[in-house]
């Protein structure tokens, strides 16, 4: 019998903390102005780094999409870094480069596959590019033509170190219902960015001030992501690392979307466990109260909160089975019925991802993942 009050408390904390945080961020932080010095006329040199591993199916479409950016071609360069693709990706890139001589496009080849982050670091180490701003993107992303110019103008303010775009999902070329949840998610990221920085960034488009990447000693390789981790390192170094809502890019949903989310959650968990310590160990850490608040709440939401739901569910189930408690039965039935709501279902799946990811992390983390 005493199981129920505990189970109920855990559930209330699990749902209450993120709801309260979301509500606060949305009503207090989100409406704030950026308070940054934006400048449409600021046109630095930009280098786009596109890592590829077996992307023959979509690589041409991706390069065409970058080519169509509304940004002066003489200020733009592309670096494709490939890690021994076996499906003809490189041949397609070479052909594309021959056919598009009016844009600088370099190809870097790794002899064997070590993962996306090592590949990007390999590219950064060659230091063969002219851009003041380095943008990472991904083969299965699509940008609107105005993406780059609207991202770049934020760098006119020297306090800005990293800018990422908001993301929506596409399935077979069409928007999906997944975006219902995604819109809450994007709003929270932007709200955190208005306050200081968001600890979670998006691989389909993330732009860095180049010097900063070298100051942090290239991308940390412990998480396997090229977005949230280096962006948060920049934020802990005292720069703003922001997500803007002015640019929205698209990402394709893949067949194994659930397992892709688990893999990304694995990276995020390691990110929250290690990144602050990492920055301190490199003597780059600069204290900011605003950032600490955001980091601690997101840390709680990713590391602790999913387990409160798991524990609460287990306790209700136990109390149902051991004492046939109508209250527990009622709560569990309600929880199941609510799964009819898309936003709630996505939330629950997200918690499941984080729990599975934490367990998988005990074994190993995927730095180079199957496709
Ligand atoms: P997701 O977006 O998180 O699901 O990850 P993707 O599978 O789309 O990978 C992100 C980008 O990194 C894609 O453009 C991949 O082709 C590329 N990529 C993945 N693994 C490697 C790798 O080992 N080496 C290189 N060079 N690129 C990789
Ligand atoms: Mn991708």
């Amino acid at each position: 019998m005493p199981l129920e009050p505990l189970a109920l408390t855990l559930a209330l904390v699990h749902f209450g903390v993120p709801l309260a945080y979301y509500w606060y961020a949305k009503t207090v932080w989100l409406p704030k102005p950026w308070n940054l010095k934006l400048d449409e006329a600021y046109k630095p040199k930009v280098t786009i780094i596109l890592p590829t591993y077996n992307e023959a199916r979509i690589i041409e479409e991706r390069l065409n999409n970058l080519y169509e950016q509304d940004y002066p071609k003489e200020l733009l360069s592309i670096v494709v870094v490939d890690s021994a693709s076996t499906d003809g990706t490189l041949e397609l890139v070479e052909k594309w480069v021959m056919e598009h001589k009016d844009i600088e496009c370099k190809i870097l080849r790794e002899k064997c596959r070590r993962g996306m982050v090592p590949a990007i670091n390999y590219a950064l180490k060659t230091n063969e590019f002219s851009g003041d701003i380095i943008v990472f993107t991904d083969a299965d992303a699509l940008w609107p033509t105005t993406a780059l110019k609207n991202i770049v103008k934020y760098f006119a303010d020297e306090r800005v170190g990293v800018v990422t775009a908001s993301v929506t999902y596409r399935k077979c070329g069409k928007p999906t219902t997944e975006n219902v949840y995604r819109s809450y998610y994007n709003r929270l990221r932007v709200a955190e960015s208005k306050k200081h920085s968001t600890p979670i960034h998006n691989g389909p488009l993330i732009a860095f001030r180049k010097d900063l990447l070298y100051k942090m000693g290239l991308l940390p390789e412990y998480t396997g992501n090229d977005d949230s981790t280096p962006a948060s390192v920049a934020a802990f170094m005292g720069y703003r690392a922001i997500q803007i809502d002015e640019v929205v890019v698209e990402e394709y949903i893949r067949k194994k979307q659930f397992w892709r989310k688990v893999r990304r959650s694995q990276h995020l968990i390691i990110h929250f466990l290690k990144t602050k310590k990492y920055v301190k160990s490199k003597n780059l850490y600069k204290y900011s109260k605003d950032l600490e608040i955001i980091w601690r709440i997101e840390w709680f939401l990713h590391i602790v909160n999913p387990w409160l739901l798991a524990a609460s569910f287990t306790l209700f189930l136990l109390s149902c089975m051991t004492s046939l408690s109508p209250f527990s039965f009622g709560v569990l039935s309600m929880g199941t019925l609510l799964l009819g709501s898309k936003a709630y279902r996505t939330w629950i799946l997200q918690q499941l991802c984080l729990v599975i990811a934490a367990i998988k992390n005990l074994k190993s983390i995927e730095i180079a993942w199957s496709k």
Side-chain angles (χ1 to χ4, degrees):
M1 207 35 68
L3 289 183
E4 284 178 340
L6 178 60
L8 193 62
T9 311
L10 291 173
L12 287 177
V13 174
H14 172 83
F15 290 103
V17 172
L19 278 174
Y21 181 53
Y22 176 74
W23 174 82
Y24 186 84
K26 190 184 151 202
T27 50
V28 181
W29 294 344
L30 193 59
K32 281 186 192 213
W34 280 105
N35 277 333
L36 292 170
K37 196 181 79 228
L38 306 189
D39 182 1
E40 306 258 350
Y42 176 64
K43 289 272 184 298
K45 285 192 170 177
V46 176
T47 298
I48 301 170
I49 299 188
L50 171 59
T52 58
Y53 179 70
N54 287 353
E55 299 289 4
R57 207 169 44 83
I58 48 176
I59 191 65
E60 283 170 295
E61 179 194 28
R62 185 72 197 100
L63 289 168
N64 288 335
N65 175 244
L66 294 180
Y67 184 80
E68 283 157 12
Q69 280 301 300
D70 179 9
Y71 202 79
K73 294 247 176 321
E74 63 280 11
L75 295 176
L76 193 59
S77 58
I78 302 174
V79 174
V80 174
V81 52
D82 186 87
S83 305
S85 288
T86 52
D87 68 345
T89 301
L90 265 183
E91 288 74 11
L92 290 170
V93 177
E94 280 163 0
K95 182 167 152 267
W96 189 90
V97 173
M98 293 295 286
E99 290 165 1
H100 299 80
K101 296 252 188 233
D102 56 336
I103 188 164
E104 190 189 327
C105 183
K106 281 212 173 84
I107 304 175
L108 298 174
R109 296 169 175 82
E110 280 201 304
K111 284 200 195 74
C112 64
R113 183 180 187 212
R114 296 176 300 144
M116 174 185 67
V117 173
I120 294 179
N121 275 342
Y122 167 73
L124 290 172
K125 273 181 212 153
T126 66
N127 201 358
E128 273 195 57
F129 24 80
S130 46
D132 305 311
I133 304 297
I134 305 280
V135 182
F136 302 148
T137 187
D138 181 337
D140 61 352
L142 271 187
W143 299 354
T145 51
T146 50
L148 207 50
K149 80 172 182 201
N150 284 332
I151 286 278
V152 160
K153 68 182 183 210
Y154 286 80
F155 287 96
D157 192 310
E158 290 192 343
R159 289 167 296 179
V160 174
V162 189
V163 185
T164 198
S166 295
V167 175
T168 61
Y169 289 124
R170 303 212 120 206
K171 199 184 214 162
C172 311
K174 291 197 206 84
T176 79
T177 44
E178 179 113 5
N179 292 323
V180 179
Y181 177 77
R182 194 73 209 181
S183 61
Y184 292 103
Y185 187 90
N186 280 329
R187 223 171 279 141
L188 185 55
R189 300 283 86 82
V190 175
E192 291 172 334
S193 304
K194 292 255 177 100
K195 180 73 176 161
H196 185 292
S197 296
T198 177
I200 303 177
H201 283 239
N202 301 316
L205 197 176
I206 178 162
F208 289 83
R209 203 177 278 289
K210 180 165 91 176
D211 306 348
L212 194 50
L213 286 171
Y214 291 98
K215 236 196 249 174
M216 68 173 76
L218 308 181
L219 306 188
E221 296 193 356
Y222 52 81
T223 57
N225 76 53
D226 66 342
D227 41 46
S228 304
T229 301
S232 300
V233 172
F236 280 128
M237 287 166 71
Y239 292 84
R240 298 280 294 277
I242 60 176
Q243 174 173 326
I244 58 172
D245 43 10
E246 194 180 346
V247 177
V248 183
V249 299
E250 290 171 357
E251 181 176 55
Y252 285 105
I253 287 194
R254 294 198 176 174
K255 272 188 221 125
K256 295 180 179 166
Q257 183 71 8
F258 181 79
W259 292 106
R260 175 203 227 177
K261 278 195 181 164
V262 169
R263 185 237 308 153
R264 287 183 179 175
S265 301
Q266 282 185 266
H267 292 175
L268 268 187
I269 289 170
I270 304 283
H271 166 56
F272 278 108
L273 292 178
K274 292 199 175 165
T275 299
K276 194 156 107 182
K277 278 189 213 131
Y278 176 82
V279 181
K280 285 185 173 169
S281 75
K282 293 209 141 203
N283 281 329
L284 294 169
Y285 178 82
K286 232 185 188 169
Y287 177 79
S288 150
K289 188 176 157 216
D290 291 343
L291 181 62
E292 283 296 330
I293 292 170
I294 295 167
W295 181 262
R296 282 175 198 190
I297 294 173
E298 291 293 354
W299 188 97
F300 173 84
L301 292 179
H302 287 84
I303 306 296
V304 181
N305 208 35
W307 295 97
L308 302 187
L309 181 67
S312 166
F313 175 75
T314 312
L315 291 177
F316 274 126
L317 204 62
L318 271 179
S319 124
C320 235
M321 292 188 322
T322 54
S323 57
L324 299 173
S325 147
F327 178 73
S328 295
F329 185 74
V331 171
L332 287 177
S333 316
M334 205 177 73
T336 314
L337 278 180
L338 275 173
L339 289 173
S341 138
K342 181 82 195 175
Y344 175 80
R345 187 162 68 239
T346 314
W347 173 263
I348 299 294
L349 272 179
Q350 184 67 38
Q351 306 310 302
L352 189 64
C353 270
L354 284 163
V355 168
I356 296 175
I359 296 169
K360 283 189 83 177
N361 273 347
L362 294 176
K363 221 173 99 211
S364 76
I365 172 168
E366 280 182 283
I367 298 292
W369 48 91
S370 64
K371 311 207 70 187

